[in-house]
Amino acid sequence: MKPAWKRAVLAFAALLALPATVSFAADDLATSIEGVYKRRFMNAINAGADRPAERYLAEDVVEIVRQDADHVYLRAYLEFANGHTCSVWGIAGREGEDFVYRQQTMPAPGEAPCTLKVNVQPGKIVLDDRDAAGTATCRAKCGARGTLSGYAVERKARRPIRYMNRLQESRQYREAVSEYQGVQPPRS
């Protein structure tokens, strides 16, 4: 018989090795991804061939807050080269093994409504805005160098949200809830 600590390590390793097709109960899935995911990295502003790039520390932030068993609040702020960003927030509903945000408000003329899938896998969460034809639907939420197509964040980067009251009082959260409920957001 193996010692208890070895059995626990082996059980945990087996859990990590589960295939991406493992089905989670709705509430378990929403709870298992709730948190803030941050990734810091060196970014750059390229001023042209005659000047060196200006380097700076950048940070991607993805927040996921369980609303109920079938819905999560999602906010993603991602940074790209030359100061371009993607910024999106909304309430995503459960569709199979994914959560999907579907923009309810009318987009600007010529723009498609943003549809952003949150694909939960054992080792990572992937945000993807591509439709069946492979077209990015959330381009209006991003600068020229930004994209919400296939952005992955490691699940091990998840941390508890220690600022939940401030998050729930934010303009983005209030807009997301209002959009989901189909009402106009309160003015700040």
Side-chain angles (χ1 to χ4, degrees), residues 31-186:
T31 301
S32 76
I33 62 172
E34 182 175 53
V36 60
Y37 302 79
K38 294 182 180 183
R39 182 178 73 91
R40 290 189 176 146
F41 58 97
M42 290 307 295
N43 208 340
I45 294 180
N46 297 307
D50 59 333
R51 292 193 289 175
E54 179 184 328
R55 300 191 48 81
Y56 64 96
L57 185 62
E59 183 175 59
D60 291 344
V61 178
V62 176
E63 295 168 332
I64 299 174
V65 178
R66 181 188 180 281
Q67 299 298 292
D68 59 39
D70 293 317
H71 297 89
V72 296
Y73 165 75
L74 166 73
R75 183 182 76 88
Y77 178 82
L78 312 177
E79 295 192 44
F80 298 88
N82 282 6
H84 294 267
T85 63
C86 286
S87 188
V88 62
W89 54 86
I91 304 293
R94 181 82 183 257
E95 294 183 16
E97 292 300 312
D98 301 321
F99 289 95
V100 180
Y101 163 69
R102 297 183 186 283
Q103 181 178 357
Q104 302 297 313
T105 58
M106 184 65 81
E111 294 175 4
C114 173
T115 300
L116 184 62
K117 181 170 64 170
V118 180
N119 178 255
V120 181
Q121 300 174 16
K124 63 186 174 182
I125 296 173
V126 179
L127 306 181
D128 202 331
D129 69 339
R130 291 176 286 206
D131 62 15
T135 305
T137 63
C138 301
R139 289 293 312 141
K141 308 274 186 199
C142 297
R145 288 179 173 81
T147 182
L148 288 165
S149 299
Y151 177 84
V153 62
E154 292 185 34
R155 289 187 65 179
K156 68 181 181 182
R158 178 174 75 110
R159 300 291 179 262
I161 297 174
R162 300 186 191 284
Y163 49 93
M164 191 63 77
N165 289 339
R166 188 174 67 209
L167 183 149
Q168 291 175 330
E169 293 171 3
S170 71
R171 175 182 57 87
Q172 292 90 348
Y173 184 84
R174 289 182 290 141
E175 285 178 6
V177 171
S178 294
E179 177 187 47
Y180 176 71
Q181 293 174 342
V183 298
Q184 288 295 98

